[in-house]
Every structure is written in structure tokens, then in C-alpha cells.
Amino acid sequence: RKEQHRVDGRQAERRHRQAPTLTLVWTGDDPGISHSRHTRVFLPELFARAREHVLVAGYSFDHGAELFPALHKAMVDNPVTADFFVDANQLVERLKQAARAEGRDWSLLSAPMNRAQSAVERGRAAVALFYTLMWPFGDPKPKVYFDPRTAERTRMISLHAKCVVIDHHYTLITSANFTDRGQTRNIEAGVAIDDRPFAASLERPWANLIDAGVVV
């Protein structure tokens, strides 16, 4: 009877649970009439909602000063923490481009990565440069995680996911990288999902990677 009661309770919960709200998030030209939101507009709005925690996972990042001010403001105005998951080798390529665009000496900036004796050391040196070149706001800063395999000079694996989770509730899954092209010019498609159980299910694998030491 107890087991049947639990089953009946779960079924009732599923019946009364509100259906997720889905929003199409689009980058690029849209010459017709649609109900999509543009990525470059929607993403800062999503960051501005944050009151607790933000998860950002992406393959490629650039123009951080333009992409993340809303996130930094949320972190300043509220006790918001942020976890970034990045592909270390791709990050190095984007850091190189950012340094050259600012007229900075890449050979000097990249020296700690070139001296690194392990993939972990190389990745950590890249993360230090991320804070210099792509997070110009100062404190508070996100924690930046990477899989050391993505920092190996002969890459065998990539972190290719692109997603955001806000306050364990709001989710964006998209083809768009966190780059100027991905946010403004490419043709990209994604979906925003207003649903706490789905957000929790997406956050869990990332937390598992941290707990298991797969990312550092």
C-alpha cells in the first residue's frame, strides 16, 4: 500500500506540474515574421535575472567586455556565484586574438602557458589570462573549469556544449558560441526553457564532472 501511495503521488505530481515554457532564441537574419528572441538581446536579459547562481558552458568565448556586463552586475548587486566551463585549447586561440586586437605582446602573455609542464598547468595559465582579457570587470569573478584533456597540445577531446542555467531554473541551450559572431552575425538557433526540473537535470552532469575531478 505504501508503495502504491508513492506511485500515485508521483503520478499526481506529474499531472499537476506546469508544462515547461519554451522560447526560440535565434541569431542572424530573420526576414519574415517570427516569435523568436535574438540571442544578443536575450542573453543579457537572462543574466540579469540571476539572484543565486549562473552556469555557463561554452566552446568559444570572445568580446567578454560586451557579452558579460549584465552577469557581472548581477554578481555585484546580488550574492550570485558563477561557474564557467570552457575548452582550454579553444580559449587559448581566442585569447591570442584578443591580445593582438588590443596590441598586447602575446609572446609575453603566453609565456606561462609555454613553460607549463602539464595540461593542467597550461589550462590554469589560460584561465588566468581569461580574467585579464575577457573579464575586465574585476571582482567578483566566475570560477572557470576546464577538462585537462582540452588543454593538451594534441587535442583528443573538446568541450563543445553551449548552455546557460540561471538560478537552477532558467535554461538556454544553443548552437551559438559566446562570441561576437555567435551572438550577432551567424545563423544560430537555440531554445530557452523555463522549467526547474529540467534545469536541475542539466546542472547535474556538470556538478558530477567537478565532483569526480574530470574538470579542474
Side-chain angles (χ1 to χ4, degrees), residues 151-169:
E152 294 171 354
R153 297 182 188 279
T154 304
R155 179 200 301 254
M156 298 300 293
I157 188 172
S158 295
L159 189 158
H160 207 249
K162 299 102 178 175
C163 59
V164 177
V165 182
I166 304 293
D167 290 347
H168 321 291
H169 191 139

Side-chain angles (χ1 to χ4, degrees), residues 107-158:
S107 62
L108 181 63
L109 290 173
S110 63
M113 288 184 289
N114 295 332
R115 291 195 300 266
Q117 298 298 306
S118 69
V120 170
E121 289 178 8
R122 185 168 186 263
R124 286 178 172 157
V127 169
L129 270 185
F130 171 90
Y131 293 127
T132 299
L133 295 173
M134 294 195 188
W135 189 268
F137 317 107
D139 292 330
K141 301 181 178 75
K143 289 182 180 179
V144 180
Y145 293 91
F146 64 95
D147 185 327
R149 293 172 294 178
T150 72
E152 294 171 354
R153 297 182 188 279
T154 304
R155 179 200 301 254
M156 298 300 293
I157 188 172
S158 295

Side-chain angles (χ1 to χ4, degrees), residues 85-214:
F85 296 84
V86 305
D87 183 285
N89 273 333
Q90 179 64 14
L91 181 61
V92 170
E93 292 303 312
R94 291 296 183 171
L95 290 167
K96 185 187 302 183
Q97 294 174 16
R100 290 174 175 170
E102 295 181 13
R104 305 182 70 162
D105 186 343
W106 176 246
S107 62
L108 181 63
L109 290 173
S110 63
M113 288 184 289
N114 295 332
R115 291 195 300 266
Q117 298 298 306
S118 69
V120 170
E121 289 178 8
R122 185 168 186 263
R124 286 178 172 157
V127 169
L129 270 185
F130 171 90
Y131 293 127
T132 299
L133 295 173
M134 294 195 188
W135 189 268
F137 317 107
D139 292 330
K141 301 181 178 75
K143 289 182 180 179
V144 180
Y145 293 91
F146 64 95
D147 185 327
R149 293 172 294 178
T150 72
E152 294 171 354
R153 297 182 188 279
T154 304
R155 179 200 301 254
M156 298 300 293
I157 188 172
S158 295
L159 189 158
H160 207 249
K162 299 102 178 175
C163 59
V164 177
V165 182
I166 304 293
D167 290 347
H168 321 291
H169 191 139
Y170 305 102
T171 301
L172 172 64
I173 298 179
T174 176
S175 67
N177 284 308
F178 297 92
T179 62
D180 180 65
R181 285 179 55 186
Q183 298 290 309
T184 65
R185 288 176 284 155
N186 290 352
I187 301 295
E188 308 280 0
V191 59
I193 305 164
D194 181 350
D195 186 66
R196 187 175 292 275
F198 181 84
S201 69
L202 179 58
E203 285 182 304
R204 175 45 50 193
W206 300 104
N208 290 343
L209 292 177
I210 295 173
D211 292 344
V214 176

Side-chain angles (χ1 to χ4, degrees), residues 11-82:
Q11 290 174 344
E13 182 180 353
R14 284 195 292 268
R15 284 195 299 270
H16 290 93
R17 179 172 163 239
Q18 187 174 358
T21 300
L22 308 180
T23 302
L24 174 63
V25 183
W26 182 265
T27 300
D29 294 336
D30 182 4
I33 297 173
S34 75
H35 299 285
S36 65
R37 299 294 311 282
H38 199 287
T39 310
R40 68 181 174 186
V41 175
F42 186 80
L43 185 64
E45 290 179 1
L46 198 60
F47 287 147
R49 292 184 182 185
R51 296 296 181 269
E52 301 173 28
H53 181 261
V54 175
L55 183 154
V56 176
Y59 173 68
S60 192
F61 294 80
D62 66 23
H63 293 79
E66 300 169 17
L67 289 178
F68 299 122
L71 174 56
H72 181 253
K73 185 177 187 304
M75 295 173 73
V76 169
D77 293 346
N78 303 282
V80 173
T81 57

